[in-house]
Amino acid sequence: MRPGAVALAVSSLIVLGAGPPAPAPPLPARMADTGGGTQLITAVAPGRASTTGTVVWWDRGEDGRWVKKGSAPARFGANGLVAGASRKQGTSTTPTGLYGLPYAFGIKAAPRGTAYTYRRVHHDSWWCQDNDSRSYNRWSEPRAADCRAAEAEQLITYRAQYAHALVIGFNYGRPVRGRGAGIFLHANGRGATAGCVSVPEDAMRRILLWADPARRPHIAVGTRSGKTAVTRL
């Protein structure tokens, strides 16, 4: 064989042997903590100042592998995202972190097949954000006497956003006054949120049909990189 032909053959073997780069593991597989369940929602923004990003919901199979089950464009707080542990109420920032999803609610009826506990919103359904109230960061129906109306959300007045929603367990188990209340995953309004995560209403319905409380779903909120990166959770 001519020397040139040998070089060409070797070169061909090198190219064939290289192959395409291995695909990156799915996002949940790159996270330090996913909550211990077999369902996960990731809500990821490009950076801390972003008001838009992507929500993806995932299942973990018996083989331990995470599989993407759906996705939707997401909206975040009007002032971007901030670490949940240092968030302050009234800043229109979305808290980053890993949180449980205690229950669902909505002005509209739950999509048929919803497994989550689902509370219907009525005219006297409120979410208390009054730091001086014993009902701080809780559903109150009717509004608690010590919860000022000016410091609470009358849920039925947010007909688009609260058509369907999931409570995000931020500052929920042992509420810290002044950190924030009423953080939900809900249907889109007209623009960025006051600190919640929102998706199109159709996507919210699909999430409710997918979510199974027996599989302990959590939501991970964060950015692609930096100190609030979702992969740091």
Side-chain angles (χ1 to χ4, degrees):
M1 184 180 291
R2 299 191 310 277
V6 171
L8 180 60
V10 171
S11 176
S12 298
L13 286 172
I14 292 173
V15 172
L16 291 172
L27 179 57
R30 291 180 274 130
M31 293 171 55
D33 187 5
T34 58
T38 57
Q39 286 190 326
L40 179 70
I41 299 171
T42 54
V44 183
R48 292 180 65 171
S50 302
T51 59
T52 60
T54 305
V55 158
V56 179
W57 47 106
W58 309 80
D59 280 345
R60 190 177 72 183
E62 293 182 359
D63 60 0
R65 296 181 180 180
W66 288 96
V67 178
K68 178 179 175 180
K69 303 302 290 186
S71 67
R75 296 174 181 173
F76 298 96
N79 289 321
L81 298 86
V82 68
S86 59
R87 184 183 186 269
K88 294 183 179 180
Q89 187 165 324
T91 56
S92 293
T93 53
T94 297
T96 64
L98 179 68
Y99 306 106
L101 298 162
Y103 62 91
F105 69 90
I107 294 170
K108 295 182 179 180
R112 184 171 295 181
T114 298
Y116 245 81
T117 298
Y118 190 93
R119 296 189 70 169
R120 287 296 298 273
V121 173
H122 303 106
H123 184 77
D124 58 351
S125 303
W126 296 75
W127 196 275
C128 184
Q129 301 178 356
D130 189 336
N131 283 281
D132 296 324
S133 174
R134 288 174 294 178
S135 299
Y136 179 68
N137 203 19
R138 288 293 186 272
W139 181 296
S140 182
E141 188 174 329
R143 179 171 52 84
D146 67 346
C147 182
R148 293 168 290 174
E151 298 294 330
E153 282 190 351
Q154 188 176 16
L155 299 177
I156 204 165
T157 62
Y158 296 87
R159 293 193 174 274
Q161 294 93 324
Y162 298 156
H164 301 294
L166 272 165
V167 176
I168 294 177
F170 166 73
N171 202 30
Y172 189 79
R174 295 181 178 178
V176 175
R177 311 286 167 155
R179 184 159 292 170
I183 300 299
F184 311 127
L185 172 62
H186 62 67
N188 283 340
R190 292 184 177 180
T193 73
C196 296
V197 179
S198 76
V199 293
E201 184 180 338
D202 175 67
M204 195 65 232
R205 292 174 66 87
R206 286 186 283 135
I207 289 170
L208 288 175
L209 289 171
W210 158 85
D212 181 355
R215 299 182 65 179
R216 295 183 295 154
H218 286 68
I219 184 168
V221 183
T223 53
R224 290 179 187 167
S225 59
K227 293 182 179 180
T228 54
V230 72
T231 49
R232 296 171 63 94
L233 301 178

